[in-house]
Amino acid sequence: MSQLVFELSGEHDTLPRSEVIACIEASGWNYQIKYSYDQVLVVETDADPGILARRLALTHNILELIFIAPSDPDMILKEAETGELGLKYGQSFVVRVSRVKNYGGISASFERKLGAAIWHRGYPVSLDNPDVIFRAIVTEGVCIFGRRLAEVDRPGFEERAPLKKPFFLPGVLMPRISRAVVNLTRIREGWMLDPFSGTGGTLVEAGLISPGIHVVGCDIQKKMVYGTRKNLRHYQTTYDVIWQDSLRMGIRDDSVDAMVTDFPYGQSTPIAAESAGAFYTGALREMFRVLKPGCRAVVVSKEPMEKLLTDAGFTVIETHRQRIHKSLTRNFAVITKS
């Protein structure tokens, strides 16, 4: 078991932490949360950091913890001068300091001083091609110092931005959020359904996690079905896309291993129901029917849906909120079919 430090993104207050735990649990690794700070999570685990980095979206780096010190510059330098750093003779290094928000009294010159403290111990510095990258993260009165083991390919998500996909419509989830909510289902392999697939953004992210995940999309609009197929074909995922009313899906009972969907908001999206209430009730009834018992789904909606979800038979495990602008707040509910 190692103590891994997850340097979380500041895109959301709660989703990054939940995503880390979900990805560890998805592979069945053991873990214990040791410390949780603003944008930093320290976990004792037997998880493989390389595998986690290829799956995570809302994390920047995964480090091996070396020490935690008060955020006083002198105390940090003392730890760097005397502590066990795990460097071998002749290994080169570089130090990068990151300050979360406005925590700590760390100046711009501190990175250089911290590097000098290690250099004085006889280890060479390499700014361009170091053998070891150390990161010092200052947050909530502490400095967390670690050796970088893996880096999340966040630019890769930017390359899959909605405007860069073959088929695009505005107002969809961004790829990093799509990947995070897929991860919250803890799917590792099997069938993942999006009953309101739209442009297929969540399906793309699910399919890129593993070739063992077969994604299935449904939509009542023919143009969405064609657009989703185009996007999934472009990213070479294993998929099926069905043109059908998601209130009456041609999918067997208890056959889906995970679900993620961003519910239509109704302004420009047709819904095949007499009212919004009937639409949500019918959709959730179908989602409950096709999901395997014990498996998880994530529902994204404009309004909180906990009451509707529990009335449909689901158990709500956790919820998150994301304010997009003054007229739109996204609500994320992680649910299971007990």
Side-chain angles (χ1 to χ4, degrees):
M1 300 276 279
S2 302
Q3 291 202 40
L4 299 183
V5 178
F6 295 85
E7 187 177 355
L8 308 177
S9 78
E11 293 159 274
H12 194 274
D13 291 337
T14 58
L15 278 173
R17 181 183 185 277
S18 290
E19 185 195 22
V20 169
I21 299 306
C23 288
I24 293 173
E25 291 183 350
S27 292
W29 288 309
N30 299 303
Y31 74 95
Q32 180 182 5
I33 297 172
K34 304 298 290 185
Y35 309 100
S36 182
Y37 301 103
D38 195 351
Q39 292 184 216
V40 178
L41 183 67
V42 182
V43 181
E44 187 172 46
T45 179
D46 57 358
D48 185 317
I51 293 175
L52 286 173
R54 289 191 291 274
R55 179 160 182 163
L56 288 165
L58 302 182
T59 294
H60 289 288
N61 297 288
I62 303 174
L63 319 176
E64 178 186 22
L65 179 65
I66 294 177
F67 66 77
I68 299 178
S71 59
D72 175 80
D74 291 336
M75 299 188 74
I76 300 170
L77 290 173
K78 182 178 179 181
E79 287 282 356
E81 290 166 351
T82 60
E84 175 56 53
L85 302 177
L87 279 173
K88 298 177 182 178
Y89 178 78
Q91 277 191 315
S92 62
F93 75 95
V94 69
V95 175
R96 297 296 180 218
V97 176
S98 175
R99 187 163 67 125
V100 175
K101 298 174 182 173
N102 294 315
Y103 293 113
I106 303 298
S107 66
S109 63
F110 183 70
E111 185 173 278
R112 186 171 64 253
K113 293 178 182 178
L114 188 55
I118 300 173
W119 175 73
H120 283 302
R121 297 178 65 173
Y123 299 106
V125 174
S126 173
L127 300 179
D128 298 323
N129 189 30
D131 296 312
V132 175
I133 297 175
F134 291 118
R135 291 191 59 79
I137 310 165
V138 178
T139 179
E140 289 195 84
V142 296
C143 173
I144 299 165
F145 188 88
R147 173 188 185 129
R148 192 174 77 181
L149 300 177
E151 181 181 18
V152 173
D153 180 21
R154 286 173 60 83
F157 291 99
E158 297 300 326
E159 290 301 312
R160 297 191 297 278
L163 278 169
K164 296 181 179 179
K165 288 187 170 75
F167 179 69
F168 161 75
L169 285 176
V172 298
L173 295 175
M174 298 301 288
R176 286 197 295 267
I177 297 296
S178 292
R179 173 65 67 88
V181 295
V182 169
N183 282 334
L184 292 180
T185 69
R186 290 150 173 81
I187 188 168
R188 188 175 181 183
E189 59 183 10
W191 296 77
M192 201 206 87
L193 170 68
D194 186 343
F196 303 95
S197 56
T199 63
T202 56
L203 299 177
V204 167
E205 293 305 319
L208 291 174
I209 288 173
S210 166
I213 298 176
H214 188 115
V215 299
V216 180
C218 304
D219 208 283
I220 198 170
Q221 296 186 80
K222 188 180 290 188
K223 71 172 184 178
M224 294 296 190
V225 171
Y226 290 154
T228 295
R229 286 176 180 165
K230 183 182 287 187
N231 284 341
L232 292 170
R233 191 179 303 118
H234 177 76
Y235 292 103
Q236 300 180 349
T237 55
T238 306
Y239 69 89
D240 287 294
V241 186
I242 310 165
W243 178 32
Q244 67 175 350
D245 177 4
S246 295
L247 274 64
R248 288 170 283 274
M249 292 187 288
I251 297 175
R252 293 198 310 271
D253 296 359
D254 304 329
S255 61
V256 174
D257 297 284
M259 278 189 293
V260 171
T261 199
D262 184 7
F263 263 115
Y265 301 144
Q267 292 95 333
S268 59
T269 307
I271 57 175
E274 61 189 26
S275 66
F279 166 73
Y280 287 123
T281 300
L284 293 174
R285 181 181 61 244
E286 276 293 271
M287 291 170 64
F288 187 86
R289 180 182 66 80
V290 302
L291 185 65
K292 290 181 179 178
C295 290
R296 299 193 183 200
V298 179
V299 172
V300 186
S301 58
K302 185 177 180 180
E303 302 293 338
M305 294 184 64
E306 286 91 328
K307 175 72 164 57
L308 287 170
L309 291 165
T310 54
D311 287 348
F314 292 107
T315 299
V316 179
I317 299 171
E318 61 184 272
T319 59
H320 307 270
R321 289 167 61 85
Q322 182 188 34
R323 187 179 186 276
I324 307 302
H325 48 72
K326 65 179 181 180
S327 61
L328 176 59
T329 297
R330 285 196 174 108
N331 294 268
F332 302 85
V334 183
I335 57 177
T336 187
K337 180 177 176 177
S338 301

